[in-house]
Amino acid sequence: SLIQVHSKSMQETLFAVTSDVEAISMGVLNTSVLLISDTSLILIMTIGLFVVDPMIAISTLFVFIIVAFALYKLLQVRAEELGKYQASITIESSEKILEVLNSYREIVVRNRRSYYAREIGALRMRLANVAAERAFMPNISKYVIEVVVVLGCLGIAGLQFSISTASHAVAVLSVFLAASTRIAPAIVRLQQGVISIKSSLSAAKPTFDLIDELKGVE
C-alpha cells in the first residue's frame, strides 16, 4: 500500500483525500438529496395542474422534460470535461507552487522566479476560466427555460381564448403561470443537479482511483 501511495505525487494524494472528498460529499450526495425534493415538487405541481386541465398539464410536463433533456445532453459532456480539467489543473498548480517553496534558494540563485511566476500565473488563469465557465453553465438553462415559459403562456393564451370562454381561459392561464413559475425553477435545478453530479464524479476520479487501489488494504 505504501508503494501505491508513493506512486502518486504528494499533491495528487492530497487532492484525493481533501478537495475530491468534498466534491463527492457536496457535489454528489448533497445534490442527490436536493434532486429528490425538486422531483417531489414537480410531481405535486403537475398533479395540481392536471386537476384543472389534464391536457395543459400533460403538454406542460412534456415540453419542460424535452427542453431539460435537450439542455442536459448539450451541457453534460462539457461539464464532465470541465470537472476532469479542473482537477488536473488544481493538482498541477499545487505541485508547481510546492516546487517553488521547496527549492526557493536555487530558484533565486538561478534567477528563475519570473519563469515560475508566469507558469503559476498561467495555471491559475486557466483554473479561473474553468471555474467561470462552470459557474455560468446554470444560467444557460435558466434563460432557456424562462423563454419556454413565456412562449408557453402565449401559446396557451391563444389556444384557450380561441376554443373556450374568457373566464375559463384566464383561469387556465393563471394556473399555468402559477404552476410553471414553480415547476420551471425546479426543472432547472433538477437538470443542473444531474450535470453537477456528473461533473463532480469526473472531478472525483483521483479519489475513486485511490479507493480502488487500496481495496483490501487495512
Side-chain angles (χ1 to χ4, degrees):
S1 61
L2 189 60
I3 294 170
Q4 288 169 317
V5 170
H6 284 170
S7 67
K8 300 177 182 295
S9 70
M10 288 175 61
Q11 291 307 313
E12 267 187 294
T13 305
L14 182 63
F15 185 78
V17 299
T18 54
S19 300
D20 252 8
V21 175
E22 183 181 348
I24 295 169
S25 60
M26 297 302 294
V28 178
L29 299 178
N30 182 56
T31 305
S32 298
V33 174
L34 295 176
L35 289 185
I36 294 170
S37 64
D38 282 327
T39 302
S40 303
L41 174 62
I42 291 169
L43 288 173
I44 292 168
M45 297 305 295
T46 304
I47 291 168
L49 192 58
F50 194 89
V51 171
V52 177
D53 193 315
M55 187 56 68
I56 295 295
I58 293 169
S59 303
T60 301
L61 194 60
F62 178 75
V63 170
F64 279 135
I65 288 173
I66 291 296
V67 172
F69 182 74
L71 287 169
Y72 168 75
K73 295 300 286 184
L74 288 171
L75 298 177
Q76 62 126 353
V77 175
R78 184 58 180 162
E80 288 181 24
E81 290 175 355
L82 289 174
K84 292 177 183 176
Y85 191 46
Q86 187 172 25
S88 65
I89 296 174
T90 302
I91 293 169
E92 188 179 352
S93 174
S94 299
E95 286 174 346
K96 192 70 72 174
I97 292 170
L98 194 62
E99 184 182 335
V100 171
L101 295 175
N102 287 335
S103 55
Y104 186 71
R105 288 182 180 178
E106 291 85 345
I107 291 170
V108 172
V109 170
R110 297 173 63 187
N111 195 25
R112 300 275 284 172
R113 283 179 293 180
S114 59
Y115 164 78
Y116 278 101
R118 287 194 301 272
E119 288 287 302
I120 293 170
L123 285 169
R124 302 306 295 183
M125 180 59 72
R126 282 158 58 193
L127 192 60
N129 288 335
V130 171
E133 188 172 347
R134 289 186 71 181
F136 179 73
M137 285 180 76
N139 292 315
I140 298 172
S141 300
K142 176 174 174 280
Y143 295 131
V144 170
I145 294 289
E146 285 177 355
V147 169
V148 170
V149 170
V150 172
L151 293 176
C153 288
L154 293 174
I156 289 171
L159 178 67
Q160 289 295 318
F161 278 108
S162 63
I163 65 173
S164 61
T165 62
S167 59
H168 183 266
V170 170
V172 172
L173 187 59
S174 300
V175 172
F176 172 78
L177 276 170
S180 62
T181 53
R182 297 296 297 166
I183 291 173
I187 286 179
V188 171
R189 290 194 300 270
L190 197 67
Q191 181 247 343
Q192 284 302 316
V194 175
I195 290 177
S196 174
I197 289 172
K198 286 264 189 181
S199 178
S200 297
L201 287 172
S202 297
K205 190 176 182 299
T207 297
F208 291 126
D209 289 344
L210 187 63
I211 291 169
D212 288 338
E213 289 169 14
L214 299 179
K215 273 183 180 175
V217 179
E218 291 187 4

